[in-house]
Short mmCIF file of all heavy atoms in Angstrom, two decimals:
data_model
loop_
_atom_site.label_atom_id
_atom_site.label_comp_id
_atom_site.label_asym_id
_atom_site.label_seq_id
_atom_site.Cartn_x
_atom_site.Cartn_y
_atom_site.Cartn_z
N VAL A 1 -21.00 0.18 15.86
CA VAL A 1 -20.62 0.26 14.45
C VAL A 1 -19.22 0.85 14.30
O VAL A 1 -18.40 0.35 13.53
CB VAL A 1 -21.64 1.12 13.68
CG1 VAL A 1 -21.18 1.34 12.24
CG2 VAL A 1 -23.01 0.46 13.69
N SER A 2 -18.95 1.91 15.06
CA SER A 2 -17.64 2.55 14.95
C SER A 2 -16.53 1.63 15.45
O SER A 2 -15.42 1.66 14.93
CB SER A 2 -17.62 3.86 15.76
OG SER A 2 -17.81 3.61 17.14
N LEU A 3 -16.84 0.80 16.47
CA LEU A 3 -15.83 -0.14 16.97
C LEU A 3 -15.46 -1.15 15.89
O LEU A 3 -14.29 -1.41 15.63
CB LEU A 3 -16.35 -0.86 18.21
CG LEU A 3 -15.45 -1.98 18.77
CD1 LEU A 3 -14.13 -1.41 19.23
CD2 LEU A 3 -16.15 -2.71 19.89
N VAL A 4 -16.47 -1.71 15.23
CA VAL A 4 -16.22 -2.68 14.17
C VAL A 4 -15.47 -2.03 13.01
O VAL A 4 -14.49 -2.57 12.49
CB VAL A 4 -17.56 -3.29 13.68
CG1 VAL A 4 -17.31 -4.22 12.50
CG2 VAL A 4 -18.26 -4.03 14.81
N ALA A 5 -15.95 -0.83 12.61
CA ALA A 5 -15.31 -0.13 11.50
C ALA A 5 -13.86 0.21 11.82
O ALA A 5 -12.97 0.11 10.97
CB ALA A 5 -16.09 1.14 11.17
N LYS A 6 -13.60 0.62 13.07
CA LYS A 6 -12.23 0.98 13.46
C LYS A 6 -11.31 -0.23 13.41
O LYS A 6 -10.17 -0.14 12.92
CB LYS A 6 -12.25 1.56 14.88
CG LYS A 6 -10.91 2.09 15.34
CD LYS A 6 -10.93 2.46 16.81
CE LYS A 6 -11.96 3.51 17.12
NZ LYS A 6 -11.94 3.90 18.55
N GLU A 7 -11.79 -1.39 13.90
CA GLU A 7 -10.96 -2.58 13.89
C GLU A 7 -10.68 -3.05 12.46
O GLU A 7 -9.56 -3.44 12.13
CB GLU A 7 -11.64 -3.69 14.69
CG GLU A 7 -11.70 -3.41 16.18
CD GLU A 7 -12.42 -4.49 16.94
OE1 GLU A 7 -13.01 -5.37 16.29
OE2 GLU A 7 -12.40 -4.46 18.18
N ILE A 8 -11.71 -2.98 11.62
CA ILE A 8 -11.52 -3.39 10.23
C ILE A 8 -10.54 -2.46 9.53
O ILE A 8 -9.63 -2.90 8.82
CB ILE A 8 -12.88 -3.41 9.50
CG1 ILE A 8 -13.77 -4.52 10.06
CG2 ILE A 8 -12.67 -3.61 8.00
CD1 ILE A 8 -15.16 -4.55 9.48
N LYS A 9 -10.71 -1.16 9.74
CA LYS A 9 -9.83 -0.19 9.10
C LYS A 9 -8.39 -0.36 9.57
O LYS A 9 -7.45 -0.30 8.77
CB LYS A 9 -10.31 1.23 9.37
CG LYS A 9 -9.50 2.30 8.66
CD LYS A 9 -10.05 3.68 8.92
CE LYS A 9 -9.24 4.74 8.19
NZ LYS A 9 -9.77 6.11 8.43
N SER A 10 -8.19 -0.57 10.88
CA SER A 10 -6.85 -0.75 11.42
C SER A 10 -6.16 -1.96 10.80
O SER A 10 -5.00 -1.91 10.42
CB SER A 10 -6.91 -0.89 12.94
OG SER A 10 -5.64 -1.11 13.48
N LYS A 11 -6.93 -3.06 10.67
CA LYS A 11 -6.35 -4.27 10.08
C LYS A 11 -6.03 -4.05 8.60
O LYS A 11 -4.99 -4.48 8.10
CB LYS A 11 -7.33 -5.44 10.23
CG LYS A 11 -6.76 -6.78 9.76
CD LYS A 11 -7.74 -7.90 10.03
CE LYS A 11 -7.13 -9.25 9.67
NZ LYS A 11 -6.64 -9.32 8.28
N GLN A 12 -6.92 -3.38 7.88
CA GLN A 12 -6.68 -3.13 6.47
C GLN A 12 -5.44 -2.26 6.26
O GLN A 12 -4.64 -2.52 5.37
CB GLN A 12 -7.91 -2.45 5.84
CG GLN A 12 -9.11 -3.37 5.70
CD GLN A 12 -10.34 -2.62 5.19
OE1 GLN A 12 -10.45 -1.41 5.34
NE2 GLN A 12 -11.27 -3.36 4.61
N LEU A 13 -5.28 -1.22 7.09
CA LEU A 13 -4.12 -0.35 6.96
C LEU A 13 -2.83 -1.11 7.26
O LEU A 13 -1.81 -0.91 6.58
CB LEU A 13 -4.26 0.85 7.91
CG LEU A 13 -5.30 1.90 7.52
CD1 LEU A 13 -5.50 2.89 8.66
CD2 LEU A 13 -4.87 2.64 6.26
N THR A 14 -2.86 -1.95 8.28
CA THR A 14 -1.66 -2.73 8.62
C THR A 14 -1.30 -3.70 7.49
O THR A 14 -0.13 -3.81 7.10
CB THR A 14 -1.89 -3.51 9.93
OG1 THR A 14 -2.19 -2.59 10.98
CG2 THR A 14 -0.66 -4.31 10.30
N ASP A 15 -2.31 -4.40 6.96
CA ASP A 15 -2.06 -5.33 5.85
C ASP A 15 -1.52 -4.57 4.63
O ASP A 15 -0.61 -5.07 3.93
CB ASP A 15 -3.35 -6.07 5.48
CG ASP A 15 -3.81 -7.01 6.59
OD1 ASP A 15 -2.98 -7.33 7.47
OD2 ASP A 15 -4.99 -7.42 6.57
N PHE A 16 -2.07 -3.40 4.37
CA PHE A 16 -1.63 -2.62 3.21
C PHE A 16 -0.19 -2.16 3.40
O PHE A 16 0.62 -2.17 2.45
CB PHE A 16 -2.55 -1.42 3.02
CG PHE A 16 -2.23 -0.58 1.81
CD1 PHE A 16 -2.55 -1.03 0.54
CD2 PHE A 16 -1.60 0.65 1.95
CE1 PHE A 16 -2.25 -0.26 -0.59
CE2 PHE A 16 -1.28 1.41 0.84
CZ PHE A 16 -1.62 0.96 -0.44
N ALA A 17 0.16 -1.72 4.63
CA ALA A 17 1.52 -1.27 4.90
C ALA A 17 2.52 -2.41 4.71
O ALA A 17 3.62 -2.21 4.18
CB ALA A 17 1.61 -0.71 6.32
N VAL A 18 2.14 -3.61 5.13
CA VAL A 18 3.04 -4.77 4.98
C VAL A 18 3.19 -5.16 3.50
O VAL A 18 4.29 -5.41 3.01
CB VAL A 18 2.51 -5.96 5.80
CG1 VAL A 18 3.31 -7.22 5.51
CG2 VAL A 18 2.56 -5.64 7.29
N SER A 19 2.07 -5.18 2.78
CA SER A 19 2.11 -5.63 1.38
C SER A 19 2.84 -4.65 0.46
O SER A 19 3.34 -5.05 -0.59
CB SER A 19 0.68 -5.86 0.87
OG SER A 19 -0.04 -4.64 0.84
N THR A 20 2.88 -3.37 0.84
CA THR A 20 3.55 -2.37 0.00
C THR A 20 4.96 -2.03 0.50
O THR A 20 5.59 -1.12 -0.02
CB THR A 20 2.72 -1.08 -0.07
OG1 THR A 20 2.50 -0.59 1.27
CG2 THR A 20 1.38 -1.33 -0.75
N GLY A 21 5.42 -2.73 1.51
CA GLY A 21 6.75 -2.45 2.05
C GLY A 21 7.85 -3.16 1.28
O GLY A 21 8.69 -3.86 1.88
N ASN A 22 7.84 -3.06 -0.03
CA ASN A 22 8.86 -3.69 -0.87
C ASN A 22 9.40 -2.65 -1.84
O ASN A 22 8.75 -1.63 -2.12
CB ASN A 22 8.29 -4.90 -1.61
CG ASN A 22 7.11 -4.51 -2.50
OD1 ASN A 22 7.30 -3.96 -3.59
ND2 ASN A 22 5.89 -4.81 -2.04
N PRO A 23 10.61 -2.86 -2.38
CA PRO A 23 11.23 -1.85 -3.25
C PRO A 23 10.41 -1.50 -4.48
O PRO A 23 10.50 -0.39 -5.00
CB PRO A 23 12.56 -2.51 -3.66
CG PRO A 23 12.84 -3.50 -2.57
CD PRO A 23 11.51 -4.00 -2.13
N MET A 24 9.55 -2.41 -4.95
CA MET A 24 8.79 -2.13 -6.16
C MET A 24 7.62 -1.19 -5.90
O MET A 24 7.34 -0.28 -6.68
CB MET A 24 8.27 -3.46 -6.75
CG MET A 24 7.52 -3.29 -8.07
SD MET A 24 6.98 -4.87 -8.74
CE MET A 24 8.56 -5.65 -9.05
N ASP A 25 6.90 -1.39 -4.76
CA ASP A 25 5.70 -0.60 -4.47
C ASP A 25 5.99 0.64 -3.63
O ASP A 25 5.24 1.61 -3.67
CB ASP A 25 4.68 -1.46 -3.73
CG ASP A 25 4.17 -2.61 -4.58
OD1 ASP A 25 4.10 -2.43 -5.81
OD2 ASP A 25 3.85 -3.68 -4.02
N ALA A 26 7.05 0.61 -2.83
CA ALA A 26 7.32 1.70 -1.89
C ALA A 26 7.40 3.07 -2.53
O ALA A 26 6.89 4.05 -1.97
CB ALA A 26 8.60 1.40 -1.11
N PRO A 27 8.01 3.23 -3.74
CA PRO A 27 8.11 4.58 -4.32
C PRO A 27 6.74 5.20 -4.65
O PRO A 27 6.65 6.42 -4.80
CB PRO A 27 8.93 4.35 -5.60
CG PRO A 27 9.70 3.10 -5.35
CD PRO A 27 8.81 2.25 -4.53
N TYR A 28 5.70 4.39 -4.76
CA TYR A 28 4.38 4.91 -5.14
C TYR A 28 3.46 5.12 -3.93
O TYR A 28 2.29 5.44 -4.09
CB TYR A 28 3.71 3.93 -6.11
CG TYR A 28 4.51 3.69 -7.35
CD1 TYR A 28 5.33 2.57 -7.46
CD2 TYR A 28 4.48 4.59 -8.41
CE1 TYR A 28 6.08 2.34 -8.60
CE2 TYR A 28 5.24 4.37 -9.56
CZ TYR A 28 6.04 3.25 -9.65
OH TYR A 28 6.79 3.03 -10.76
N ILE A 29 3.97 4.93 -2.70
CA ILE A 29 3.15 5.04 -1.48
C ILE A 29 3.59 6.25 -0.68
O ILE A 29 4.78 6.45 -0.44
CB ILE A 29 3.28 3.76 -0.62
CG1 ILE A 29 2.87 2.53 -1.42
CG2 ILE A 29 2.43 3.89 0.64
CD1 ILE A 29 1.43 2.57 -1.92
N ASN A 30 2.61 7.06 -0.27
CA ASN A 30 2.89 8.18 0.62
C ASN A 30 2.94 7.62 2.04
O ASN A 30 1.91 7.47 2.71
CB ASN A 30 1.80 9.25 0.50
CG ASN A 30 2.12 10.52 1.28
OD1 ASN A 30 2.82 10.46 2.29
ND2 ASN A 30 1.62 11.65 0.82
N ARG A 31 4.14 7.30 2.48
CA ARG A 31 4.30 6.61 3.76
C ARG A 31 3.86 7.49 4.93
O ARG A 31 3.35 7.00 5.94
CB ARG A 31 5.76 6.20 3.93
CG ARG A 31 5.94 4.89 4.70
CD ARG A 31 5.42 3.72 3.90
NE ARG A 31 5.48 2.49 4.66
CZ ARG A 31 5.07 1.31 4.19
NH1 ARG A 31 4.54 1.22 2.98
NH2 ARG A 31 5.14 0.22 4.93
N GLN A 32 4.07 8.80 4.80
CA GLN A 32 3.71 9.69 5.92
C GLN A 32 2.20 9.68 6.15
O GLN A 32 1.72 9.55 7.27
CB GLN A 32 4.20 11.12 5.61
CG GLN A 32 4.07 12.10 6.76
CD GLN A 32 2.70 12.78 6.79
OE1 GLN A 32 2.05 12.89 5.76
NE2 GLN A 32 2.30 13.21 7.97
#
């Protein structure tokens, strides 16, 4: 279960980082 959850979470975080890496969304994201 943890393996599946870890892979899903990793993919979701990567997709979120890519989708918010633009001048409009970046000011509202805590990048750290």
Side-chain angles (χ1 to χ4, degrees):
V1 174
S2 63
L3 175 63
V4 176
K6 185 189 301 182
E7 291 178 352
I8 293 176
K9 184 177 181 180
S10 178
K11 186 176 185 304
Q12 289 175 337
L13 287 170
T14 301
D15 293 343
F16 183 75
V18 172
S19 65
T20 57
N22 59 77
M24 183 179 296
D25 295 328
Y28 302 97
I29 302 300
N30 187 332
R31 213 68 185 179
Q32 188 272 335

